[in-house]
Amino acid sequence: MRRPASLVPVLTVAALLLTACGTERADSGHSGTDAAGPSSPTPMNDPGKDGVRITSLTLPPASPSPSPSPKRSFAVSAEGLPTHADSGIVAAYEVTNTGTKALTYSVVITFMSTSGGAMANQTATVRDVGPGKTVRGTVRAGELAPGSQRVTRAKVLEVNKVPAGEAPAPAGTCPASGIRVSADDGDAAMGLRVVGLHLDNCGKRDYAIEGYPQLQLLDDDLNPVTGIKILHGSGDITTGAGPDEQPRPITLKPGESAQAGLVWRNTTQAGTAANIPYVRVHAKPGAAPVTVTPHLDLGTTGQLGVRPWKKTQR
């Protein structure tokens, strides 16, 4: 029996509609990756750094040779575009506080190839680790660059630790004071360093400030550093950061921000170079302290310039 001709257009339209809706047709079954079995962590013999060490590394199984796959039909749409996948690489770490005060840690972990090249760096923040306590966690390598070598190990690259009560507030949160203080990554050119200090009124009341943030320089053990002169303004250090401005009263309404700046040179001549990891910041006299980590490489200059608070223009 011959099929009625009127059914052919109907079937064609139905197929086109299914394709336009993003339908994918393929035989069911497990892929080669699934067949390889789940990944398992490999213990790491890592000496660690400043109380932080890598305990294990989990790598995805090596992908087998691809097998022929059935034909598929895809719709082309914004929602159907391919997305970048996580590498599936996970490092487990532990943080042990051997001090006498609760600390918040910021840990940079680097994922490396057999040759020692860094394939990815990730930062983990571990808050409120009490004295004598050990906290464990994991960090993912995330997406790797195309053509990256296979990751085979991980290590602790950098550890910053500040008093738990003085750690900058996490992004998107507001401390009880209603004022959030932080430092940016800074800028460096021809030996000149500039780091911005940021003050955000995330509370519900106006906040008045005037003058310069109060600073205390701290060493690796969070002890005060002496012998460094803190200058009001940056004119004695450089004219490249712009002219010095006189401090003036500022009132920040909720949602408004202000910025100050740290300015220095890393010139090294005769003497011992000063490298200062931490700066304790009081937005104004009596304000709660916040300890930031600009890593001041002051060389042998013996001085640091601080610029006054200035309202940030929206």
Side-chain angles (χ1 to χ4, degrees), residues 205-262:
R205 299 179 179 179
D206 291 356
Y207 190 77
I209 52 175
E210 181 179 0
Y212 302 86
Q214 294 186 336
L215 309 179
Q216 184 180 33
L217 310 185
L218 306 175
D219 64 16
D220 288 312
D221 298 319
L222 298 171
N223 295 319
V225 175
T226 59
I228 303 299
K229 187 175 182 181
I230 298 178
L231 309 174
H232 282 176
S234 58
D236 290 340
I237 296 174
T238 180
T239 57
D244 283 335
E245 297 186 21
Q246 292 299 314
R248 61 188 64 186
I250 296 172
T251 298
L252 298 178
K253 297 184 179 300
E256 293 186 330
S257 302
Q259 180 175 345
L262 305 179

Side-chain angles (χ1 to χ4, degrees), residues 10-96:
V10 174
L11 293 174
T12 302
V13 171
L16 289 173
L17 287 173
L18 286 173
T19 302
C21 292
T23 299
E24 173 186 342
R25 299 180 181 274
D27 292 341
S28 62
H30 295 292
S31 67
T33 302
D34 292 338
S39 306
S40 58
T42 300
M44 294 280 104
N45 184 21
D46 176 28
K49 183 176 184 179
D50 293 339
V52 184
R53 70 184 190 94
I54 305 297
T55 57
S56 69
L57 184 66
T58 301
L59 301 174
S63 300
S65 300
S67 56
S69 57
K71 293 182 179 180
R72 301 168 181 254
S73 61
F74 295 96
V76 178
S77 67
E79 294 180 352
L81 293 176
T83 57
H84 298 291
D86 185 274
S87 63
I89 301 169
V90 181
Y93 61 84
E94 65 178 26
V95 178
T96 301

